[in-house]
Amino acid sequence: TQLLEQSPQFLSIQEGENLTVYCNSSSVFSSLQWYRQEPGEGPVLLVTVVTGGEVKKLKRLTFQFGDARKDSSLHITAAQPGDTGLYLCAGALRGSGGGADGLTFGKGTHLIIQP
Amino acid sequence: KAGVTQTPRYLIKTRGQQVTLSCSPISGHRSVSWYQQTPGQGLQFLFEYFSETQRNKGNFPGRFSGRQFSNSRSEMNVSTLELGDSALYLCASSLGNGELFFGEGSRLTVL
């Protein structure tokens, strides 16, 4: 059983559309991160959210951490082809001490933005 | 500043062989962790090193091993390669706060 479930698994939309991808769990996390991975590259950290209900914006990307710290969402406004990639969420379980072993990754959402 | 550097980027091995992958972390980062990424399983934690000591190990067989040197550079080794070891191996460095900076990965194909 995957600790972090990401949905949808695949998403292909036209440039200019809006979209939301989700990261859900039954576990409580002390923090949650979002990464984007482009083909042939390693994941790049986009944001870390630590407070239940927290909303962070990064240009056209809006990240939200659920009130109960069990889920998160990523909303992209006016998607562009440069947003194409694999979006991964990673949660740090409470009490994990900040080490890499305490991070659990979801399998990701493959996003394609067509021109 | 320079990012995380992994070598080699691509390699092809045959079953039964062994492989060593190298990772140079961001300057000043003493934590280096390794992940295996496959389409079916996603990113799976292999192990983490901090100041030359293995801090934690994921659920992988003993064929997977690693080490870290005094300059924080790290290597991982996989012995007796199996077809299922074909994957992208990612190294990440960190200041120890859980925020990871990944390299571009080493793509291993086992034939």
Side-chain angles (χ1 to χ4, degrees), chain B residues 61-83:
Chain B
R63 300 185 296 107
F64 292 80
S65 63
R67 58 179 176 168
Q68 187 180 32
F69 302 96
S70 58
N71 61 358
S72 293
R73 190 177 70 84
S74 178
E75 289 181 347
M76 69 162 281
N77 184 78
V78 187
S79 62
T80 319
L81 284 166
E82 300 176 0
L83 295 178

Side-chain angles (χ1 to χ4, degrees), chain A residues 87-109:
Chain A
Y87 287 81
L88 296 159
C89 66
L93 290 168
R94 296 172 85 175
S96 61
D101 68 307
L103 270 181
T104 299
F105 281 84
K107 289 189 177 182
T109 293

